[in-house]
Amino acid sequence: MGNQTVRSICFECHSRCGVLLNLENGRLQEVKGDKEHPISRGYICPKGAAAPEIIYHQERITTPLIKSGKGFKQASWEEALSLIAENLSRASEKHGPESVVFGTGTTRGTAPYINCFLTAFGSPNLMAPSNMSGGPIVMGSLATSGFGMSDPDYANSKCILLWAHNPKKSWPGLYMNDIRDGLKQGSKLIVVDPRRTNLANKADNWLQIRPGTDVALALGFIHIIIESELYDKDFVENWTDGFAALREHVSEYTPQKTAEITWIPSNQIQDAARMFANNPPGAIGPGMGGTSQGNDAFDLNRALTIISAITGNLEVAGGNLRLPAPTSKRSCYGPDHDPFFNLPKDQALKKLGLKQFPLLQFIPIPSPPQTVWPAITDNDPYPVRAMGLFANNTVCAYPNSSHVRQVLKQLDFLFAVDYFHTPTTELADVILPPAHWVERDDVEDLLMKSYVFSQPKALDPLPDCRDEKQILIELAQKLGLKGFFNNEQEMLDYRLEYAGLTYEQLKEMGWYYGGFTYKSYENKGKFRTLTGKVALNADFLENLGISGMPQFREPPESPYSRPELTEDYPLILTTGGRLLVYYHSSHRNIASLRKKAPDPELEINPDTAQKLDIEDGEWVYLVSPRGRVEIKVSYSPDISPEVVHSPHGFWYGVENGWQRVNINMLTDDEALCPVTGSVPIKSLLCRVEKM
Ligand SMILES: Nc1nc2c(c(=O)[nH]1)N[C@H]1C(S)=C(S)[C@@H](COP(=O)(O)OP(=O)(O)OC[C@H]3O[C@@H](n4cnc5c(=O)[nH]c(N)nc54)[C@H](O)[C@@H]3O)O[C@H]1N2
Ligand SMILES: Nc1nc2c(c(=O)[nH]1)N[C@H]1C(S)=C(S)[C@@H](COP(=O)(O)OP(=O)(O)OC[C@H]3O[C@@H](n4cnc5c(=O)[nH]c(N)nc54)[C@H](O)[C@@H]3O)O[C@H]1N2
Ligand code: SF4
Ligand SMILES: [Mo]
């Protein structure tokens, strides 16, 4: 077979870096960055380079498994899929198709096909972590400007504002070239983060915020920008509604009051707000997680969109661009997620989460996991009895892991599709082994850049592993579903319909670029909102019990909202700042990556640690009102004395690791954002105990 190189797209994370896959005698030897890729330009991170280790890992699941006693026994695909089909049919016959829920973790390619499957099956219930990931960004900006998410055009910006976002670790291939280009051309940099990250260290202004108080800071910014008359008067007059009400609303957020709430010195807040308004065009980067993980996540993303709008930065080069999404609603994040486009209305209205979060009827976001749990435990609003999980380590990913685990155990039937055993697959009745991204053809849209790439496979799946598209096709056949795809080709082409391409054509081209338009509202004469203008006061939401303007809410568990807890839990905990070498709970079993970050480390200010007589490198207990984990102390002068930070996703290699080192043992799943269902995992109370 000899040597061969296949040009493809890495899918170990969402950055979609271009890669060259070098094969020797049919075996993947090496992954290199592709210099010709328009965005990553040759960059590759250690996760991408580790693909051969992942594919040929001795722990990879390489055959279907069926639960047998306390363990699993190997099974044929025929047996495994028949068992799944039998159990899904049983649940559906007894309790209706809505009693079957499929879940995905962060989008890993299969989501659009899973939606189509659920439609054919008749269930409106796709569960995903969108409520703590991009969902609140989409909801907040759609409600304000009529477009769902935006591309921060850093490369052409004169002021880059990174808000709860550390792209050097989380989106290196996607954003770091742009940020470097922008900075090289003299762009200012403002970072809002409780930790002095590498980018915060380079910033003209680093605002070390008290976790969970971002809405107050954003309202403070708006106040300063308006009162200093630094807003774009033409834009505000011609293209926004509700300015007077907004001005009145933010009047209480004086620099003084904002400083008291956020613990950032008031002169610094004023400097930063003025810097952003005085250096157009300015681009705001909200990342995807940090601004979506609070009890006021909807309001934070509305407030950020308002800052962008009143400073004249919407849809201008160097500002925040509207995503044209070449694959439109067939993109992996597209509204094809939504039963309202697909199912009869009475069935769509059964979507879990609608009862608690009525806005989900108008803005298509999958069901928040926390709205699925009561259906499993209490038949509320109706029974959910069977579940299929694709690429989701549910137990470790979602807040309050002991609760999540208890809930999953109450299902009649659970199947999971994963490369490796996890604390979640352990609970499954059937486990199916998927093909790795190197082993599957796929369509990878890079929404933020208006690109869609082909991801041609370089290898066939290991003998008894299967492409998830194929798994869905075979399951649909077993269930006798009408209207689902017949082959993978149809599925790939379906994704590209809006781009007017077939997968074969895209493969020839490598990628398709949809381009951006600036100020599209001028041509159209309107924004895609109810009034045709940017809603600075979205009073139409008041019918749904949602305030027209962003409101700061004190985090549900903070020194001010729960002062009685502070004696036992004196520190503020924020979780989940990304580590470059890991994707969520994955990759801990990959030796080359684990070597780089072997232990979960608690970032703590040395002054705080010393007062507790705790040394650098010491293992301690970290305790919240919900539980206790073990963690290794890492002294960091870059975090304030009242705050500590823990990464998420650790469990592997530690006996009962999901319980002992998984930070979601401490997080809360009850105090949700009332509009989006977001969970406040960036701001909790905790204490550190010596072991
Ligand atoms: N390597 C790697 N990359 C990833 C992922 C991964 O697991 N690993 N996950 C991907 C996914 S699904 C997502 S959603 C994105 C997330 O992407 P981002 O949300 O951009 O995540 P981070 O880059 O870690 O940035 C979050 C920053 O917010 C700061 N922060 C913590 N609490 C607060 C707060 O209360 N206020 C403010 N202003 N800042 C706060 C943290 O210190 C951290 O530096 O990352 C994606 N990229
Ligand atoms: N405390 C805290 N918790 C958090 C966060 C935080 O910041 N703090 N961030 C949250 C966010 S933003 C998100 S998006 C969620 C993410 O949650 P998840 O996406 O569920 O994250 P993972 O733990 O990586 O679980 C993914 C599983 O999918 C498997 N896998 C990887 N690729 C594939 C594939 O192509 N096919 C299949 N079938 N399996 C695959 C991996 O082996 C892994 O076991 O976590 C959330 N959890
Ligand atoms: S940043 Fe790393 S893991 Fe993510 S796509 Fe690029 S190479 Fe792959
Ligand atoms: Mo996410």
Side-chain angles (χ1 to χ4, degrees):
M1 285 187 233
N3 295 352
Q4 193 195 346
T5 296
V6 177
R7 167 166 278 140
S8 196
I9 298 296
C10 174
F11 207 67
E12 287 304 324
C13 92
H14 291 333
S15 270
R16 315 277 200 273
C17 295
V19 285
L20 300 174
L21 303 167
N22 292 331
L23 313 186
E24 253 174 61
N25 298 321
R27 208 179 148 90
L28 181 69
Q29 286 298 339
E30 187 188 37
V31 185
K32 296 209 125 170
D34 176 4
K35 292 201 173 78
E36 287 173 34
H37 185 279
I39 312 295
S40 60
R41 304 183 221 157
Y43 173 82
I44 179 172
C45 87
K47 299 186 290 301
E53 255 181 287
I54 298 167
I55 293 171
Y56 305 115
H57 200 287
Q58 58 173 15
E59 289 170 358
R60 183 163 168 200
I61 303 171
T62 51
T63 139
L65 298 169
I66 294 180
K67 180 137 274 169
S68 160
K70 287 202 161 154
F72 290 90
K73 66 171 199 292
Q74 294 192 357
S76 67
W77 279 92
E78 172 59 30
E79 270 176 295
L81 289 172
S82 298
L83 189 59
I84 295 173
E86 227 170 80
N87 279 280
L88 301 191
S89 298
R90 186 174 306 134
S92 179
E93 275 156 28
K94 216 161 154 197
H95 305 285
E98 63 276 11
S99 69
V100 172
V101 172
F102 277 11
T104 64
T106 186
T107 333
R108 283 188 176 89
T110 30
Y113 316 119
I114 293 178
N115 270 294
C116 297
F117 182 94
L118 287 172
T119 300
F121 189 80
S123 172
N125 292 322
L126 174 73
M127 171 180 91
S130 314
N131 62 323
M132 52 172 144
S133 201
I137 301 183
V138 174
M139 294 173 80
S141 63
L142 255 176
T144 311
S145 69
F147 53 92
M149 214 174 0
S150 62
D151 176 47
D153 186 12
Y154 300 127
N156 299 304
S157 180
K158 288 280 170 281
C159 190
I160 296 172
L161 172 50
L162 301 178
W163 202 297
H165 180 33
N166 183 21
K168 189 152 191 230
K169 300 291 160 75
S170 55
W171 301 89
L174 171 58
Y175 287 134
M176 286 313 292
N177 283 321
D178 282 358
I179 290 179
R180 275 187 217 104
D181 286 352
L183 294 178
K184 246 188 257 161
Q185 290 170 44
S187 173
K188 305 272 187 218
L189 176 64
I190 303 170
V191 174
V192 182
D193 199 305
R195 303 183 301 147
R196 192 204 309 264
T197 59
N198 181 289
L199 284 158
N201 206 27
K202 292 200 175 100
D204 298 277
N205 213 326
W206 164 46
L207 304 178
Q208 188 173 27
I209 191 168
R210 169 164 71 92
T213 62
D214 298 83
V215 176
L217 181 64
L219 297 176
F221 264 50
I222 297 171
H223 172 90
I224 294 160
I225 291 166
I226 294 179
E227 293 317 317
S228 316
E229 307 243 340
L230 292 176
Y231 58 96
D232 182 330
K233 300 207 175 67
D234 278 352
F235 184 85
V236 165
E237 190 168 317
N238 294 316
W239 294 107
T240 69
D241 260 343
F243 182 71
L246 176 71
R247 179 175 214 153
E248 169 63 26
H249 176 65
V250 297
S251 62
E252 83 179 271
Y253 288 90
T254 59
Q256 192 62 36
K257 175 166 171 180
T258 309
E260 276 162 28
I261 297 174
T262 61
W263 298 354
I264 305 165
S266 98
N267 61 334
Q268 239 194 305
I269 298 173
Q270 297 185 61
D271 287 352
R274 295 206 171 100
M275 182 178 281
F276 187 73
N278 276 328
N279 289 282
I284 305 180
M288 187 86 84
T291 60
S292 298
Q293 301 172 341
N295 70 326
D296 51 9
F298 181 65
D299 287 348
L300 176 55
N301 290 294
R302 281 203 285 178
L304 296 180
T305 310
I306 289 174
I307 295 177
S308 186
I310 63 170
T311 51
N313 282 309
L314 285 182
E315 286 200 76
V316 299
N320 283 83
L321 302 176
R322 188 176 62 92
L323 302 181
T327 48
S328 189
K329 61 185 185 137
R330 304 284 165 77
S331 84
C332 62
Y333 309 98
D336 255 19
H337 286 289
D338 205 78
F340 285 97
F341 288 91
N342 305 311
L343 287 174
K345 189 151 187 213
D346 56 338
Q347 193 60 12
L349 279 169
K350 291 183 188 159
K351 176 176 165 177
L352 291 167
L354 282 188
K355 192 178 77 165
Q356 300 92 323
F357 308 110
L359 202 57
L360 293 183
Q361 189 177 334
F362 307 103
I363 298 184
I365 306 293
S367 298
Q370 294 71 26
T371 66
V372 177
W373 308 156
I376 299 172
T377 55
D378 298 307
N379 301 336
D380 174 16
Y382 52 74
V384 162
R385 301 310 318 152
M387 188 179 268
L389 296 170
F390 294 75
N392 178 210
N393 184 356
T394 323
V395 170
C396 297
Y398 298 153
N400 201 348
S401 293
S402 21
H403 181 62
V404 175
R405 192 164 179 274
Q406 278 311 319
V407 171
L408 294 183
K409 282 169 118 175
Q410 291 179 45
L411 285 163
D412 294 339
F413 182 77
L414 176 67
F415 75 94
V417 188
D418 205 306
Y419 305 139
F420 295 109
H421 286 284
T422 70
T424 303
T425 62
E426 189 191 305
L427 307 176
D429 299 291
V430 177
I431 309 176
L432 301 177
H436 185 261
W437 59 264
V438 173
E439 303 166 332
R440 64 184 191 230
D441 282 303
D442 224 325
V443 171
E444 299 300 358
D445 31 25
L446 190 53
L447 244 69
M448 290 79 155
K449 295 284 167 207
S450 192
Y451 275 88
V452 49
F453 298 95
S454 65
Q455 184 194 61
K457 69 180 194 180
L459 299 170
D460 284 327
L462 291 192
D464 227 2
C465 298
R466 281 200 191 160
D467 189 315
E468 281 158 281
K469 296 190 274 311
Q470 195 59 38
I471 295 177
L472 290 170
I473 291 170
E474 286 173 39
L475 191 56
Q477 282 166 354
K478 281 243 172 304
L479 286 160
L481 300 186
K482 301 252 158 16
F484 194 64
F485 304 99
N486 297 303
N487 55 55
E488 289 177 34
Q489 202 62 43
E490 278 179 19
M491 293 167 111
L492 296 166
D493 291 346
Y494 159 84
R495 295 282 302 282
L496 292 165
E497 197 180 317
Y498 288 88
L501 293 168
T502 65
Y503 182 70
E504 276 312 306
Q505 287 168 326
L506 184 71
K507 210 162 111 179
E508 282 293 303
M509 295 156 66
W511 67 71
Y512 169 78
Y513 176 56
F516 286 98
T517 42
Y518 301 121
K519 299 197 180 181
S520 64
Y521 54 88
E522 284 186 343
N523 273 341
K524 295 190 187 117
K526 59 182 179 114
F527 279 89
R528 284 179 57 201
T529 55
L530 276 186
T531 62
K533 296 191 171 175
V534 175
L536 303 180
N537 180 8
D539 47 9
F540 52 90
L541 291 175
E542 284 165 11
N543 291 335
L544 297 171
I546 301 166
S547 73
M549 264 171 301
Q551 308 281 345
F552 164 64
R553 277 187 288 280
E554 184 62 32
E557 197 175 285
S558 87
Y560 301 105
S561 61
R562 302 292 306 276
E564 76 286 2
L565 284 180
T566 51
E567 198 172 322
D568 285 340
Y569 305 99
L571 295 168
I572 299 173
L573 168 67
T574 176
T575 70
R578 299 327 190 210
L579 296 169
L580 179 66
V581 291
Y582 299 131
Y583 211 56
H584 301 291
S585 78
S586 306
H587 300 129
R588 302 302 188 292
N589 58 344
I590 306 304
S592 69
L593 302 176
R594 187 68 183 251
K595 207 167 63 190
K596 294 190 163 78
D599 301 308
E601 290 190 349
L602 184 74
E603 277 170 71
I604 184 169
N605 191 289
D607 290 345
T608 312
Q610 279 155 5
K611 278 192 200 129
L612 295 165
D613 189 25
I614 285 164
E615 286 176 30
D616 197 16
E618 186 175 332
W619 281 82
V620 293
Y621 291 123
L622 185 65
V623 192
S624 86
R626 286 152 298 277
R628 181 180 91 173
V629 293
E630 299 162 31
I631 194 163
K632 188 175 166 180
V633 162
S634 168
Y635 277 16
S636 167
D638 298 330
I639 191 160
S640 52
E642 300 84 359
V643 180
V644 292
H645 168 262
S646 158
H648 72 304
F650 279 85
W651 64 272
Y652 178 85
V654 176
E655 199 185 347
N656 278 327
W658 72 271
Q659 221 168 2
R660 284 174 55 202
V661 292
N662 157 27
I663 197 65
N664 280 325
M665 288 298 291
L666 307 195
T667 50
D668 184 19
D669 59 356
E670 283 184 4
L672 309 182
C673 164
V675 184
T676 62
S678 175
V679 280
I681 51 184
K682 287 277 185 275
S683 178
L684 308 155
L685 291 176
C686 71
R687 70 164 173 270
V688 177
E689 264 176 28
K690 269 185 104 67
M691 264 185 186

